[in-house]
Amino acid sequence: MAEHSCARMGALVDDGARIAAIRPVLLSAPYADPDNLEVRVALPTGWRTTGLVEVTLDDGTTGLGEGYLAVFAPHVFVSTVELLAPFLAGRPAGDLAKRYRDMVRVTGYWSLQGAARHVVSAVEAALLDALGKRAGVPAYELLGGRRTDSIRLYASGGDSTSPSAMGAELTAVAALGIGTFKIRARGHEADKAVWTLEHAAPHGIGVAVDMAQSLDDPGQSAADALAFLDAVRAGTRQPVRFLEEPLGPARAHEYPALRRSAGCPVAGGETVTTARELLERMAAGYYDMVQPDATVVGGPRQTLAVFAGAAEHGIDPVVHCWGSAVCQAANYHAAFAGGGRLAEWPLPAYALRRELLVEPFRIESGRLLPPRAPGLGVRLTAEVERRFAFRGDAVYHCLATMPPAEPGRWRAD
């Protein structure tokens, strides 16, 4: 479980640092654009919420972490942070293993898996951020040191509802020099996948498909996913780079059979809230690519545990990061410490992916370079809190109905 990081931390961080205060912060900002299907269906106000934890050490140093939970349940996020705070105040900040165990003991009976894990993730990332700032080093140094000089990115978006908007996304991907573009295409949207595969090829861009089944229960089956792939291959010779989240939660046991027949790598795991479950899934042959998220799975150290398990099973670990810049940073620092080869780069416009950074992420020829700022390289100012104050109507609508496919929309240029 990435315990090697603790020895490295001891050489860089004053063990006397203690946690003085912890507070939850909710921020809301405009997200994507009206042509984005996620906005139309799940975020009708056009605003999206991010949940942060701010940790303050006894010397005044602050750190930020993010828990993905707040996108869906912001008040649950706040309440859970407030529940944990008294149990952490006054305790040593540098012993992440003990602070992790503290949080698991407080929340484990009622949320050993699930919502509380997002908050555990946020607190650990915030501690890493503060400790890195205190030591004057990037957070990956506290996670055992950087194991790679750059990480290839795939662009993640593709929820456009028209060819013109999808074309604009392809142009943006090409401008970044990124060679893989992941789109969202549900089972009834093979035409959309075919259109994008055909129009991406002239740019030298390959296309992956997220079937977005993580919220559907029981969701589609392996047979449904294979029928989708057959329909795509009937329309184009361009290969699907990988297929993500193709099965509903109740049919996750079908992943091994799907992998044997898919003809392309199968990816998943972004909603799983413990490293243990992802390790079990890898051992059972669920994935070619496992996608832990440091804002979901228990924090950067648990993400590294997944990386270690992936190496044992010959699986590619690819961090999922669909939140703000804090989410991105926590995942990217873990990926650099874990020797990651591929990571997600979210495309939809979201001011909190820019306004919370000390310096912009550096991308060269489609590859992410190591962050240089201390900690996670993030900050929260009073001005940002004022400009992006939480809105109660900026909550994800999970029960929204997906519109049917429009015949012919994706068959014409």
Side-chain angles (χ1 to χ4, degrees), residues 192-205:
K192 176 182 179 180
V194 168
W195 186 97
T196 310
L197 283 157
E198 288 288 306
H199 287 76
H203 295 279
I205 296 171

Side-chain angles (χ1 to χ4, degrees), residues 100 104 112-121 273-274 296-298 302:
Y100 173 82
V104 170
L112 189 60
Q113 294 177 307
R117 301 287 300 173
H118 296 230
V119 177
V120 172
S121 302
T273 55
T274 68
V296 171
V297 78
Q302 297 298 304

Side-chain angles (χ1 to χ4, degrees), residues 141-180:
E141 294 292 350
L142 306 185
L143 293 169
R146 178 164 54 84
R147 294 179 56 195
T148 185
D149 293 328
S150 66
I151 298 173
R152 185 163 49 92
L153 295 173
Y154 75 87
S156 187
D159 220 8
S160 292
T161 58
S162 69
S164 61
M166 188 71 84
E169 289 196 73
L170 281 169
T171 299
V173 176
L176 289 168
I178 292 176
T180 298

Side-chain angles (χ1 to χ4, degrees), residues 328-363:
Q328 289 179 274
N331 278 288
Y332 295 154
H333 279 265
F336 274 106
R341 298 188 299 175
L342 181 66
E344 181 174 38
W345 179 261
L347 280 181
Y350 189 45
L352 297 176
R353 291 181 181 144
R354 178 185 68 251
E355 298 288 345
L356 295 170
L357 285 173
V358 172
E359 62 180 19
F361 293 116
R362 297 179 296 149
I363 301 175

Side-chain angles (χ1 to χ4, degrees), residues 100-297:
Y100 173 82
R101 288 197 294 270
D102 290 342
M103 291 187 284
V104 170
R105 287 187 67 185
V106 173
T107 62
Y109 190 89
W110 51 273
S111 191
L112 189 60
Q113 294 177 307
R117 301 287 300 173
H118 296 230
V119 177
V120 172
S121 302
V123 173
E124 178 172 286
L127 287 170
L128 269 172
D129 185 35
L131 293 166
K133 289 171 180 173
R134 182 178 168 96
V137 298
Y140 53 72
E141 294 292 350
L142 306 185
L143 293 169
R146 178 164 54 84
R147 294 179 56 195
T148 185
D149 293 328
S150 66
I151 298 173
R152 185 163 49 92
L153 295 173
Y154 75 87
S156 187
D159 220 8
S160 292
T161 58
S162 69
S164 61
M166 188 71 84
E169 289 196 73
L170 281 169
T171 299
V173 176
L176 289 168
I178 292 176
T180 298
F181 176 36
K182 186 183 76 180
I183 69 169
R184 289 182 180 177
R186 291 78 178 172
H188 63 284
E189 294 179 307
D191 285 352
K192 176 182 179 180
V194 168
W195 186 97
T196 310
L197 283 157
E198 288 288 306
H199 287 76
H203 295 279
I205 296 171
V207 175
V209 176
D210 181 353
M211 299 199 76
Q213 288 293 294
S214 59
L215 298 181
D216 286 348
D217 193 1
Q220 68 181 18
S221 65
D224 296 328
L226 291 172
F228 170 84
L229 287 171
D230 286 344
V232 171
R233 288 165 182 153
T236 179
R237 294 183 178 181
Q238 300 298 328
V240 173
R241 286 279 172 92
F242 62 87
L243 190 69
E244 180 177 324
E245 298 290 352
L247 302 180
R251 294 185 167 128
H253 62 280
E254 297 181 25
Y255 268 109
L258 174 61
R259 281 184 64 207
R260 289 193 292 270
S261 301
C264 67
V266 173
E270 68 188 57
T271 64
V272 176
T273 55
T274 68
R276 183 182 301 276
E277 182 178 347
L278 282 177
L279 294 173
E280 291 171 352
R281 288 185 175 209
M282 286 187 283
Y286 277 36
Y287 307 126
D288 299 288
M289 298 165 58
V290 64
Q291 297 172 303
D293 187 329
T295 69
V296 171
V297 78

